[in-house]
Amino acid sequence: MALQDGDSDRINIAIDGPAGAGKSTVARMVAGQLGYVYIDTGAMYRAVTLSAQRQGITAKQDEALAQMLNELRIELEPSSNGQLIYVNGENVTQEIRSREVTRQVSYFAASGVVRQVLSGMQRELAVRKGVVMDGRDIGTHVLPDAELKVFLTASVQERAARRFKELPADQAVPLEQLEREIAERDSLDEQREISPLIKAKDAIELDSSHMTIDEVVAAIVKLGRTKLAEAK
């Protein structure tokens, strides 16, 4: 795909894949190595989920969700400790990673009202090129013209094992339960009517089940540089 004038030094990179595939960590590292901006769309959906839970709004209450979204200001700020997430000025970086949010976020992500608002925000962030954006429908819906699309996946067992290691002691759950929850979330994401999780036809699939994070990052950075050279 040819780049527009003024964009010759940067491309947009879309990284999609199922829950627990390591998209956020990989996308952040790829952005760092290329000098691009990392946009964690999953964190944006989590921020909406947390806000709705606090207000007692369910994923099916479209009118209440629309009103809440109209008053919601989500900000992503890089820091030495990773990306910080703010909702209306409050740092909710830790709160949006709770198990309660994790268990509900797919339902809010399936809301047409929520997706319409957040997709618009995400496209505006990518207008000037030079972003790495991860999610579940970036290459198929949010940025269908992204110059590089990667579908990052791993087995359910491997993804559950990764989550198991990440959970703090006070939130520990059996590995088997995590496997069931991840499989259930895969099903919800793949079967939702609006922007389901599917691999874009022109996406490159990477199975990270037997790869280190550094190996995955190196592979995507190499692909990005190749795509940039091809586009010039």
Side-chain angles (χ1 to χ4, degrees), residues 10-232:
R10 298 182 297 183
I11 62 173
N12 285 335
I13 299 176
I15 301 177
D16 289 305
K23 301 184 298 295
S24 298
T25 300
V26 167
R28 183 174 61 252
M29 294 175 68
V30 168
Q33 291 198 21
L34 293 175
Y36 284 14
V37 175
Y38 167 52
I39 299 173
D40 183 353
T41 65
M44 297 172 75
Y45 284 102
R46 285 174 175 271
V48 169
T49 301
L50 175 67
S51 300
Q53 288 175 336
R54 285 177 169 179
Q55 297 183 36
I57 300 172
T58 72
K60 295 183 177 180
Q61 294 178 287
D62 286 349
E63 186 173 342
L65 274 175
Q67 183 174 350
M68 183 195 78
L69 287 163
N70 191 45
E71 300 169 351
L72 206 64
R73 189 178 75 256
I74 300 173
E75 297 170 286
L76 310 177
E77 292 189 6
S79 78
S80 57
N81 295 319
Q83 195 166 63
L84 303 179
I85 316 300
Y86 290 86
V87 172
N88 294 340
E90 177 189 357
N91 185 342
V92 295
T93 308
Q94 296 300 320
E95 288 83 351
I96 64 170
R97 302 296 174 187
S98 71
R99 287 198 73 241
E100 186 58 30
V101 170
T102 298
R103 295 180 64 182
Q104 293 291 314
V105 64
S106 284
Y107 295 99
F108 287 91
S111 163
V113 173
V114 174
R115 296 204 79 83
Q116 181 178 10
V117 172
L118 292 195
S119 294
M121 290 182 186
Q122 292 153 9
R123 290 191 189 99
E124 288 183 12
L125 292 170
V127 165
R128 299 186 65 181
K129 302 284 185 183
V131 305
V132 181
M133 192 177 293
D134 75 301
R136 289 172 175 71
D137 65 343
I138 307 304
T140 55
H141 177 69
V142 179
L143 300 178
D145 294 330
E147 289 79 8
L148 174 60
K149 301 174 186 175
V150 174
F151 191 83
L152 184 61
T153 187
S155 68
V156 170
Q157 291 74 21
E158 176 61 25
R159 287 183 279 141
R162 293 173 183 172
R163 280 285 166 85
F164 185 78
K165 293 176 182 175
E166 292 172 352
L167 285 176
D170 61 347
Q171 295 186 31
V173 295
L175 179 61
E176 294 76 12
Q177 181 178 337
L178 285 176
E179 290 182 358
R180 289 195 298 272
E181 290 177 2
I182 285 178
E184 178 183 359
R185 188 168 173 187
D186 284 353
S187 178
L188 285 170
D189 289 341
E190 291 167 357
Q191 296 178 20
R192 68 187 181 209
E193 293 183 5
I194 301 172
S195 298
L197 170 65
I198 55 173
K199 185 177 77 172
K201 292 181 180 178
D202 53 349
I204 298 170
E205 181 169 335
L206 277 181
D207 186 336
S208 68
S209 298
H210 304 291
M211 298 174 71
T212 66
I213 291 176
D214 287 342
E215 289 173 337
V216 175
V217 171
I220 296 176
V221 167
K222 183 178 181 181
L223 288 169
R225 288 175 173 152
T226 300
K227 287 289 183 181
L228 179 59
E230 291 175 352
K232 287 186 175 179

